[in-house]
């Protein structure tokens, strides 16, 4: 008895993967692959869509992969985005996913473009389209926006982490709105009420970041083809503004306070504090620092800032003797046995090897990572909280960990104010340039530094950074060594 051939699965993703395995040479000298459906010339039925690519087989597969992602987007959003408009236009294929007719011979629709079947004298009015999209909610717009951000990453329009941060901020903002609210119910008053709730629970700068991200999402929607017929809330730009979002009253630890903090700390706590003071690091920077960027023999760290994920520049910080002593004591010894963990910084987990990190806890686990739910797992913050509790009991100074680095920057600025006038009038003498180089900001100054001097351009920064260390030494900040 002959066996029946198995019925091919109907799962779209599986089908697309099967097509990609069939990339094959074509008589034209190109590569061909079949992905998705397109309308026939008479516009009354659909047929498989053929694609043709030049270059090597690897090039063809890479291009086919992009087409596949676009087709997946069309299929997954057909009912919510494409079908309503086609229903309004009385298209015969409102219920059948297919490539937009005007774009069927190109690489596919522009990212997040709604199908444009424009027939003479039959183009729907804005009111008709709005009625067809009557069920669009904030949650629906957010789901679309997430897809748009991921497509931007694929097309390298935005960095992985930048897009992920945008999505996270919008998700946080959505917690202050009713995500089932229909988009046409979003009014100026709704935004004001959400902003008021944010400001009662969040710092002004955080509230501004959330509202800015939420506003960007709405602008993307209104300006896209999806947004035909939708009206922005009244006073759209003004209602999203948060006044005085940049704090000017940040309490930076003084030299006497730094002395009290460091003398009270144990050596593990001092390591974190010294990396913040010496290299301008946050908790995430310390937690993700790798062995490959720490040069113990020559006493420097050449690293890229966690806070500036799209910054292409690394920053070189020469270590003060006190910092180097602590680094040597706690740096992880190289190991051949890998210990992997998932860090959800960006879209999807990033596999990181614990044995490649410079500093880990007593169990060999990471000090900092982002969990799948988007929240930070931060052991450095816990260490800092423990030290703050000790200082509070002794009536000592209480400061946020992130402001330690600003203490160094303040001393650096004061030193430059006193010395810059008589200094060499070459490149990189501006106070702001040195300050930004220490903080590792993505700025035009860093671009110029690398263009003109490369890594050697950090000599001026480290000259002044050494003087900061000397100033702290004179202020007896490092008295724990006595």
């Amino acid at each position: 008895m002959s066996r029946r051939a198995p019925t091919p699965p109907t799962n779209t993703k599986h089908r697309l993967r099967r097509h990609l395995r069939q990339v094959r040479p074509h008589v034209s000298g190109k590569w061909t692959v079949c992905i998705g459906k397109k309308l026939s010339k008479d516009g009354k039925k659909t047929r498989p869509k053929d694609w043709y690519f030049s270059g090597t087989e690897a090039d063809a597969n890479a291009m086919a992969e992009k087409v596949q992602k676009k087709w997946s987007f069309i299929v997954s959003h057909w009912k919510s985005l494409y079908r309503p408009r086609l229903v309004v236009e009385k298209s015969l294929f409102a219920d059948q996913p297919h490539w937009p007719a005007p774009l069927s011979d190109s690489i596919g629709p522009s990212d997040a473009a709604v199908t444009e079947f424009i027939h003479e004298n039959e183009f729907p009015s804005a009111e008709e389209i709005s009625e067809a999209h009557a069920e669009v909610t904030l949650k629906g717009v957010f789901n679309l926006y997430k897809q748009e951000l991921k497509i931007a990453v694929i097309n390298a329009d935005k960095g992985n982490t930048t897009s992920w941060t945008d999505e996270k901020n919008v998700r946080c903002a959505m917690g202050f709105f009713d995500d089932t609210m229909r988009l046409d119910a979003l009014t100026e008053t709704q935004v004001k009420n959400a902003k008021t709730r944010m400001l009662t629970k969040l710092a002004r700068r955080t509230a501004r970041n959330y509202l800015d991200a939420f506003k960007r999402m709405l602008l993307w929607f209104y300006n896209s083809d999806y947004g035909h017929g939708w009206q922005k809330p009244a006073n759209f730009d003004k209602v999203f503004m948060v006044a005085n979002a940049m704090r000017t009253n940040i309490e930076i630890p003084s030299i006497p306070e730094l002395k009290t903090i460091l003398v009270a700390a144990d050596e593990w706590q001092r390591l974190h504090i010294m990396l913040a003071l010496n290299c301008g690091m946050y908790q995430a920077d310390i937690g993700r620092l790798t062995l490959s960027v720490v040069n113990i023999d020559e006493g420097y760290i050449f690293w890229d800032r966690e806070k500036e994920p799209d910054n292409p520049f690394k920053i070189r910080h020469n270590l003060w003797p006190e910092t180097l002593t602590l680094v040597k004591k706690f740096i992880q010894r190289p190991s051949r046995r890998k210990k992997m963990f998932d860090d959800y910084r960006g879209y999807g987990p990033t596999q990181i090897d614990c044995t490649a990190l410079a500093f880990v806890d007593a169990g060999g686990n990471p000090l900092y990572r982002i969990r799948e739910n988007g929240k930070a797992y931060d052991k450095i913050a816990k260490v800092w909280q423990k030290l703050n509790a000790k200082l509070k009991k002794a009536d000592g100074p209480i400061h946020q960990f992130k402001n330690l680095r600003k203490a160094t920057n303040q001393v650096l600025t004061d030193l430059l104010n006193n010395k810059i006038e008589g200094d060499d009038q070459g490149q990189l003498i501006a106070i702001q340039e040195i300050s930004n180089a220490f903080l590792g900001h993505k700025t035009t100054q860093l671009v110029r530094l690398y263009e003109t001097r490369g890594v050697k351009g950090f000599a001026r920064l480290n000259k002044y950074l050494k003087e900061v260390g000397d100033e702290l030494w004179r202020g007896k900040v490092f008295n724990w060594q006595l």
Side-chain angles (χ1 to χ4, degrees):
M1 185 173 69
S2 62
R3 296 181 177 226
R4 277 183 79 183
T7 303
T10 56
N11 179 276
T12 301
K13 289 184 179 177
H14 181 94
R15 187 166 63 250
L16 292 174
R17 284 197 297 270
R18 178 166 55 84
H19 285 317
L20 282 182
R21 288 198 294 269
Q22 295 176 354
V23 173
R24 57 197 182 277
H26 189 259
V27 292
S28 65
K30 296 184 177 182
W31 298 89
T32 183
V33 62
C34 177
I35 300 175
K37 300 282 187 179
K38 66 175 287 185
L39 283 174
S40 59
K41 290 183 179 180
D42 59 12
K44 293 182 179 179
K45 57 183 178 180
T46 59
R47 64 178 180 81
K49 172 87 174 83
D50 293 323
W51 301 88
Y52 301 92
F53 306 107
S54 302
T56 65
E57 185 175 3
D59 293 334
N61 275 308
M63 291 299 295
E65 179 74 21
K66 291 184 179 180
V67 172
Q68 174 189 323
K69 291 181 186 299
K70 290 177 183 292
W71 175 243
S72 298
F73 184 85
I74 289 174
V75 172
S76 60
H77 293 293
W78 185 262
K79 289 184 178 179
S80 60
L81 296 176
Y82 294 83
R83 184 175 179 276
R85 183 155 191 168
L86 296 179
V87 167
V88 170
E89 294 170 351
K90 300 179 176 60
S91 168
L92 294 173
F93 299 98
D95 294 316
Q96 296 187 42
H98 57 274
W99 290 97
L103 299 167
S104 61
D105 293 324
S106 68
I107 286 299
S110 57
D111 295 334
V114 173
T115 307
E116 293 281 2
F117 289 101
I118 303 176
H119 305 290
E120 290 185 13
N121 304 318
E122 292 183 16
F123 187 75
S125 66
E127 290 74 18
E128 288 175 310
I129 296 173
S130 181
E131 184 180 351
H133 284 80
E135 296 304 317
V136 172
T137 61
L138 287 180
K139 185 177 182 180
V141 174
F142 180 45
N143 288 336
L144 281 175
Y145 190 58
K146 288 192 293 184
Q147 293 291 332
E148 174 70 10
L149 290 174
K150 290 179 181 178
I151 289 172
V153 171
I154 293 167
N155 293 340
D157 296 330
K158 295 182 76 174
N160 188 357
T161 309
T162 304
S163 296
W164 176 79
T165 302
D166 274 357
E167 181 183 318
K168 182 195 73 172
N169 286 342
V170 176
R171 186 186 297 113
C172 292
M174 292 282 283
F176 294 88
F177 292 88
D178 175 8
D179 64 3
T180 62
M181 179 194 303
R182 280 176 40 171
L183 192 61
D184 55 7
L186 182 65
T187 62
E188 179 184 8
T189 301
Q190 294 279 1
V191 178
K192 282 183 177 178
N193 291 342
K195 181 164 66 175
T196 299
R197 290 193 293 273
M198 283 187 194
L199 292 173
T200 59
K201 292 187 175 183
L202 308 170
R204 299 189 75 83
R205 185 173 180 179
T206 303
R208 186 196 66 176
N209 290 342
Y210 289 174
L211 285 169
D212 282 351
F214 190 78
K215 178 183 175 183
R216 280 195 297 275
M217 177 187 75
L218 293 179
L219 281 174
W220 164 81
F221 182 84
Y222 292 130
N223 294 330
S224 71
D225 287 332
Y226 306 135
H228 287 303
W230 293 95
Q231 297 296 319
K232 299 176 187 175
N235 300 309
F236 185 78
D237 289 322
K238 185 177 180 181
V239 74
F240 283 96
M241 292 176 62
V242 177
N244 303 318
M246 299 299 290
R247 288 185 59 191
T248 56
N249 61 337
I250 297 173
E251 294 183 3
I252 299 173
S254 64
I255 289 181
E257 286 176 329
L258 287 175
K259 173 185 174 182
T260 302
I261 291 169
L262 277 160
V263 168
D266 61 33
E267 287 196 316
W268 179 236
Q269 293 164 340
R270 284 178 193 139
L271 170 70
H272 304 145
I273 296 169
M274 292 300 291
L275 288 172
L277 293 173
N278 194 164
C279 305
M281 292 184 179
Y282 287 121
Q283 299 100 297
D285 299 320
I286 298 169
R288 291 198 176 99
L289 203 64
T290 61
L291 290 166
S292 62
V293 303
V294 183
N295 190 319
I296 291 181
D297 295 334
E298 296 188 31
Y300 67 81
I301 296 178
F302 189 49
W303 65 293
D304 58 331
R305 278 198 64 207
E306 171 70 18
K307 187 70 174 175
E308 303 279 352
D310 294 327
N311 188 347
F313 305 114
K314 289 187 173 183
I315 310 299
R316 172 169 168 155
H317 284 112
N318 292 345
L319 299 177
W320 298 326
E322 297 80 7
T323 310
L324 185 57
T325 299
L326 292 166
V327 167
K328 285 180 177 178
K329 180 168 184 175
F330 290 104
I331 195 166
Q332 186 177 202
R333 302 300 172 234
S335 171
R336 293 183 180 180
R337 298 182 65 183
K338 291 187 175 183
K339 185 176 183 180
M340 309 303 291
F341 71 96
D342 289 338
D343 188 4
Y344 286 83
R345 177 179 179 263
Y347 289 110
T350 300
Q351 284 275 305
I352 298 178
D353 182 7
C354 281
T355 61
L357 298 176
F359 305 106
V360 292
D361 67 11
N365 298 310
L367 302 176
Y368 188 98
R369 64 182 173 88
I370 298 295
R371 296 187 176 100
E372 189 173 2
N373 61 8
K375 294 183 179 179
Y377 169 88
D378 185 356
K379 287 196 171 181
I380 299 172
K382 291 181 179 179
V383 166
W384 181 248
Q385 289 165 7
K386 183 178 178 182
L387 175 59
N388 264 341
K390 180 179 178 181
L391 290 166
K392 188 175 182 180
K393 188 179 275 189
D395 294 324
I398 306 296
H399 293 282
Q400 292 187 48
F401 185 88
K402 66 180 181 180
N403 290 338
L404 290 172
R405 60 203 297 278
K406 293 175 182 175
T408 297
N409 199 45
Q410 184 60 54
V411 177
L412 188 67
T413 302
D414 292 342
L415 285 169
L416 288 166
N417 271 323
N418 295 330
K419 297 174 180 289
I420 208 76
E421 231 175 83
D423 200 353
D424 174 272
Q425 292 300 309
Q427 300 163 328
L428 303 176
I429 62 170
I431 293 174
Q432 193 62 40
E433 291 182 355
I434 300 294
S435 173
N436 280 334
F438 169 69
L439 296 175
H441 288 312
K442 184 180 181 182
T443 62
T444 54
Q445 287 89 355
L446 278 177
V447 174
R448 188 162 71 251
L449 184 149
Y450 266 84
E451 286 177 346
T452 57
R453 301 191 180 186
V455 176
K456 292 181 180 178
F458 287 114
R460 186 178 294 273
L461 162 66
N462 283 298
K463 169 191 171 184
Y464 286 115
L465 196 58
K466 178 182 180 300
E467 294 188 26
V468 170
D470 292 343
E471 188 76 8
L472 296 181
W473 181 81
R474 285 191 289 271
K476 300 183 178 179
V477 170
F478 308 138
N479 260 16
W480 82 82
Q481 291 197 325
L482 300 179

